[in-house]
Amino acid sequence: MEQEKTLVLIKPDGVQRGLIGEIIGRFERKGLKLVGLKLLQLPCHKAEELYFPHQGKAFYSYLIQFMTSTPIVAIALQGRNAIELVRLLNGATDPAESEPGSIRGDFSIDVTHNIVHASDSPKNAQRELEVLFDSSELFEYQRIEEPILHRLTT
């Protein structure tokens, strides 16, 4: 199966609550490879570009305000079924529907302040990664367990 890349954002509430290491650790322990990482104050124009699909929705203005209020962490992850795995680890967008053990199920109580954002499709992952990362900020390397985790079965 082909390796996918996806974007995860640790939202301002996750950064402010000191959950960066916990969240990154969950993805790494699952076998996903960190290929890009940065702490940044998201400029308004980048937030608008990132959340363009939600423009016109009732929550859009507040979402932009929230996402630009304090630093966030942008994470590029790579692995087999990375998009699906990240969404599973994150849990449902509405924390009230998130399973215990998921990031949102364990740490969030509100649909806007739900700790993390993740790409929902290969097309959106590519678009969102391009909004947050230059190609020179994404790295290729092999983790020691990759031959075992990602070997092809016959």
Side-chain angles (χ1 to χ4, degrees):
M1 179 149 302
E2 185 176 321
Q3 298 268 317
E4 291 178 324
K5 287 183 184 164
T6 192
L7 175 75
V8 173
L9 300 178
I10 302 176
K11 293 180 174 183
D13 53 325
V15 173
Q16 291 170 337
R17 291 177 56 199
L19 297 172
I20 296 168
E22 170 72 26
I23 293 167
I24 291 172
R26 288 183 182 209
F27 296 128
E28 288 187 310
R29 285 190 301 274
K30 188 67 174 178
L32 295 166
K33 179 169 55 174
L34 191 69
V35 294
L37 176 69
K38 59 181 164 179
L39 177 71
L40 71 145
Q41 183 79 34
L42 191 61
C44 189
H45 73 280
K46 288 283 190 184
E48 290 170 348
E49 187 178 355
L50 183 69
Y51 290 108
F52 177 78
H54 300 297
Q55 192 173 30
K57 295 180 181 174
F59 61 85
Y60 178 78
S61 293
Y62 182 75
L63 178 61
I64 299 303
Q65 179 185 1
F66 172 60
M67 291 300 294
T68 59
S69 63
T70 63
I72 63 165
V73 175
I75 306 165
L77 293 168
Q78 182 176 340
R80 183 188 288 178
N81 298 318
I83 296 167
E84 181 182 341
L85 284 175
V86 164
R87 295 185 67 76
L88 181 67
L89 290 169
N90 284 350
T93 302
D94 183 346
E97 299 172 6
S98 289
E99 294 288 327
S102 69
I103 292 166
R104 290 175 177 142
D106 288 350
F107 300 116
S108 65
I109 57 170
D110 176 84
V111 73
T112 301
H113 303 96
N114 64 3
I115 307 295
V116 288
H117 162 92
S119 303
D120 63 358
S121 69
K123 181 179 178 183
N124 280 336
Q126 181 179 347
R127 181 186 69 79
E128 292 176 354
L129 283 165
E130 289 172 359
V131 170
L132 275 291
F133 289 95
D134 292 329
S135 61
S136 65
E137 297 174 310
L138 298 175
F139 300 91
E140 294 291 331
Y141 65 98
Q142 185 169 344
R143 284 179 44 160
I144 196 160
E145 79 281 279
E146 277 187 78
I148 295 166
L149 286 176
H150 304 295
R151 69 175 171 228
L152 297 175
T153 57
T154 54

